[in-house]
Amino acid sequence: MTPDPATTLQRSSELTRFILAPNPGPMSLDGTNSYVLAAPGSPTVVVVDPGPDHEAHLLALARVAAVELVLITHRHADHTAGSSKLHQLTGAPVRAADPAHCHGGGVPLRDGEVVRAGGLELNVLATPGHTSDSVCFHLPGDGPEGSVLTGDTILGRGTTMLDFPDGTLGDYLATLDRLEALGPATVMPAHGPVLPSLAEVVRGYRTHRHERLAQIRETLDRLGRDASVRDVADAVYSDVGPSVRRAAEMSVAAQLHYLLEGPGNAGAQRGNGRV
């Protein structure tokens, strides 16, 4: 009998394992990697991104060991929908940057905070861009180069969409700079396979973003600065299918905002409630 991925614990690094959630799709790739973190011999574990509200998946996470803490990388439902249920199953508090996704007495995560649980120390890094509340978790003691749980900020394959206007390109480029400084740490993405070098992946992401910006500049030169998001997406993302068309248009909107209004206006735009 083939094992059910929704209940199968797989090793991803010295200090981490994961269970693949049964929610594959154009945006979630094979599904959400729900990570289980613990130091050797620790009686408790930390769960990062419980994923969807899928009973078998959540029960499997709850049964690995005593869950001490649940952490969320960002607000999207494919990461958070199961968090309240996992709290009910385990009693573990849920912590996220956004208070709306904190449960069971969990307090919001702070940039630069060191979280101690499961016998580990995790460094919290604010990494906005994909969304304004995105965070990554750095495990410096995980193997010779450490590891970083990157949520959707860095994926195991492909590139990340920017959930504009909540996520902005100016924020994202600054986030890439911050992550590159962590060097060759192992990448633990929320979707797709584990990757060997964060700095190398970041450099590829940055190159891709600047190539897209160049394409959009050329398109604006041809169509005019008042060209619509739809028209620009037709020109720059002509090869994408309908299942990811909305994501392509959001990325175009983020890039147009960056080129035409400048990265400094991102916070003001979020402040106007356009989330």
Side-chain angles (χ1 to χ4, degrees):
M1 180 180 295
T2 302
D4 181 359
T7 61
T8 303
L9 193 64
Q10 304 177 61
R11 174 65 63 181
S12 43
S13 71
E14 292 181 12
L15 301 180
T16 73
R17 295 167 289 171
F18 73 98
I19 300 177
L20 178 63
N23 60 336
M27 303 303 297
S28 57
L29 304 181
D30 304 320
T32 302
N33 298 325
S34 295
Y35 286 96
V36 178
L37 285 53
S42 173
T44 64
V45 299
V46 178
V47 172
V48 178
D49 286 344
D53 187 3
H54 183 276
E55 184 175 8
H57 179 70
L58 296 173
L59 284 172
L61 290 170
R63 291 168 178 166
V64 170
V67 179
E68 181 178 351
L69 179 65
V70 178
L71 298 174
I72 301 294
T73 60
H74 68 289
R75 62 180 174 79
H76 285 154
D78 57 327
H79 300 253
T80 62
S83 59
S84 179
K85 176 69 69 64
L86 189 60
H87 162 66
Q88 294 171 17
L89 289 171
T90 65
V94 181
R95 299 190 63 193
D98 184 346
H101 295 291
C102 295
H103 306 287
V107 298
L109 295 166
R110 304 184 310 276
D111 181 38
E113 176 183 2
V114 178
V115 174
R116 295 176 174 86
L120 301 172
E121 291 189 351
L122 297 87
N123 300 322
V124 179
L125 305 174
T127 52
H130 173 64
T131 62
S132 62
D133 69 321
S134 288
V135 297
C136 293
F137 301 108
H138 181 210
L139 275 167
D142 190 13
E145 306 295 348
S147 67
V148 182
L149 284 83
T150 56
D152 284 3
T153 297
I154 301 289
L155 301 178
R157 62 177 180 269
T159 54
T160 298
M161 74 93 171
L162 306 180
D163 196 353
F164 185 80
D166 181 51
T168 70
L169 182 55
D171 282 346
Y172 191 69
L173 291 174
T175 281
L176 292 181
D177 291 343
R178 186 175 197 189
L179 291 178
E180 186 178 17
L182 296 177
T186 301
V187 179
M188 305 285 186
H191 305 285
V194 170
L195 299 174
S197 173
L198 179 59
E200 182 177 342
V201 175
V202 163
R203 287 191 286 271
Y205 267 52
R206 185 186 293 109
T207 296
H208 171 76
R209 290 293 170 186
H210 285 294
E211 288 173 348
R212 286 298 193 193
L213 282 171
Q215 289 178 302
I216 288 179
R217 288 189 187 97
E218 292 171 1
T219 301
L220 291 178
D221 288 343
R222 179 164 49 86
L223 299 180
R225 291 173 63 88
D226 59 347
S228 69
V229 168
R230 180 185 296 271
D231 289 341
V232 175
D234 285 342
V236 176
Y237 291 92
S238 59
D239 57 337
V240 306
S243 62
V244 293
R245 171 69 187 203
R246 179 174 176 271
E249 290 191 359
M250 283 194 292
S251 288
V252 166
Q255 291 169 99
L256 288 174
H257 175 266
Y258 182 85
L259 290 173
L260 300 177
E261 300 186 44
N265 293 326
Q269 191 158 17
R270 285 197 297 270
N272 289 334
R274 294 178 58 190
V275 176

